[in-house]
Coordinates of all heavy atoms in Angstrom, one line a residue:
Y640 N 1.6 -40.6 -11.4 CA 2.0 -41.8 -12.0 C 3.4 -41.6 -12.7 O 4.1 -42.6 -12.8 CB 0.9 -42.3 -13.0 CG -0.3 -42.8 -12.3 CD1 -1.5 -43.1 -13.0 CD2 -0.3 -43.1 -11.0 CE1 -2.6 -43.7 -12.4 CE2 -1.4 -43.6 -10.3 CZ -2.5 -43.9 -11.0 OH -3.6 -44.4 -10.4
Y641 N 3.7 -40.4 -13.0 CA 5.1 -40.2 -13.5 C 6.0 -40.5 -12.3 O 7.1 -41.1 -12.5 CB 5.2 -38.7 -13.9 CG 6.3 -38.4 -14.9 CD1 6.0 -37.8 -16.1 CD2 7.6 -38.6 -14.6 CE1 7.0 -37.5 -17.1 CE2 8.6 -38.3 -15.5 CZ 8.3 -37.8 -16.7 OH 9.3 -37.5 -17.7
A642 N 5.7 -40.0 -11.1 CA 6.5 -40.3 -10.0 C 6.6 -41.8 -9.6 O 7.7 -42.3 -9.3 CB 6.0 -39.5 -8.8
V643 N 5.5 -42.5 -9.8 CA 5.4 -43.9 -9.5 C 6.3 -44.7 -10.5 O 7.0 -45.6 -10.1 CB 4.0 -44.4 -9.6 CG1 3.9 -46.0 -9.6 CG2 3.2 -44.0 -8.4
L644 N 6.2 -44.3 -11.8 CA 7.0 -45.0 -12.8 C 8.5 -44.7 -12.8 O 9.3 -45.5 -13.2 CB 6.3 -44.8 -14.1 CG 5.0 -45.4 -14.4 CD1 4.3 -44.9 -15.7 CD2 5.1 -46.9 -14.4
G645 N 8.8 -43.4 -12.5 CA 10.2 -43.0 -12.5 C 10.6 -42.5 -13.9 O 11.2 -41.5 -14.1
R646 N 10.3 -43.4 -14.9 CA 10.6 -43.1 -16.3 C 9.3 -43.3 -17.1 O 8.7 -44.4 -16.9 CB 11.7 -44.0 -16.8 CG 12.2 -43.6 -18.2 CD 12.9 -44.7 -19.0 NE 12.0 -45.6 -19.6 CZ 11.9 -46.9 -19.4 NH1 12.6 -47.5 -18.4 NH2 11.0 -47.7 -20.0
V647 N 8.9 -42.3 -17.9 CA 7.7 -42.5 -18.7 C 8.1 -42.3 -20.1 O 8.8 -41.4 -20.5 CB 6.7 -41.4 -18.3 CG1 5.5 -41.5 -19.2 CG2 6.3 -41.6 -16.8
D648 N 7.7 -43.3 -20.9 CA 7.9 -43.3 -22.4 C 6.7 -42.6 -23.1 O 7.0 -42.1 -24.2 CB 8.1 -44.7 -22.9 CG 9.4 -45.3 -22.3 OD1 10.5 -44.8 -22.6 OD2 9.2 -46.2 -21.5
A649 N 5.5 -42.7 -22.6 CA 4.4 -42.2 -23.3 C 3.2 -41.9 -22.3 O 3.0 -42.7 -21.4 CB 3.9 -43.1 -24.4
V650 N 2.5 -40.8 -22.6 CA 1.2 -40.6 -22.0 C 0.2 -40.7 -23.1 O 0.3 -40.1 -24.2 CB 1.1 -39.2 -21.4 CG1 -0.3 -38.9 -20.9 CG2 2.1 -39.1 -20.2
V651 N -0.8 -41.6 -22.9 CA -1.7 -41.9 -24.0 C -3.2 -41.7 -23.6 O -3.6 -42.0 -22.5 CB -1.5 -43.4 -24.5 CG1 -1.7 -44.4 -23.4 CG2 -2.4 -43.7 -25.7
F652 N -3.9 -41.1 -24.5 CA -5.3 -40.8 -24.3 C -6.2 -41.8 -25.1 O -5.9 -42.1 -26.3 CB -5.7 -39.4 -24.8 CG -5.0 -38.3 -24.0 CD1 -3.7 -37.8 -24.2 CD2 -5.7 -37.7 -22.9 CE1 -3.1 -36.9 -23.5 CE2 -5.1 -36.7 -22.2 CZ -3.8 -36.3 -22.4
T653 N -7.3 -42.2 -24.5 CA -8.1 -43.2 -25.2 C -9.6 -43.0 -24.7 O -9.9 -42.3 -23.8 CB -7.6 -44.6 -25.0 OG1 -8.3 -45.5 -25.9 CG2 -7.9 -45.1 -23.6
A654 N -10.5 -43.8 -25.3 CA -12.0 -43.8 -25.0 C -12.6 -42.5 -25.6 O -11.9 -41.6 -26.2 CB -12.2 -44.0 -23.6
G655 N -13.9 -42.3 -25.4 CA -14.7 -41.3 -26.1 C -14.1 -39.9 -26.0 O -13.9 -39.2 -27.0
V656 N -13.9 -39.4 -24.8 CA -13.3 -38.1 -24.6 C -11.8 -38.0 -25.0 O -11.4 -37.1 -25.7 CB -13.5 -37.6 -23.1 CG1 -12.9 -36.3 -22.9 CG2 -15.0 -37.5 -22.8
G657 N -11.1 -39.0 -24.5 CA -9.7 -39.1 -24.8 C -9.3 -39.1 -26.3 O -8.3 -38.4 -26.7
E658 N -10.1 -39.8 -27.0 CA -9.9 -39.9 -28.5 C -10.3 -38.7 -29.3 O -9.8 -38.4 -30.4 CB -10.5 -41.2 -29.0 CG -9.9 -42.5 -28.5 CD -10.8 -43.7 -28.8 OE1 -11.5 -43.6 -29.8 OE2 -10.7 -44.7 -28.0

Side-chain angles (χ1 to χ4, degrees):
Y640 287 170
Y641 205 120
V643 166
L644 291 170
R646 187 200 85 240
V647 175
D648 298 291
V650 174
V651 56
F652 293 85
T653 194
V656 174
E658 294 169 27

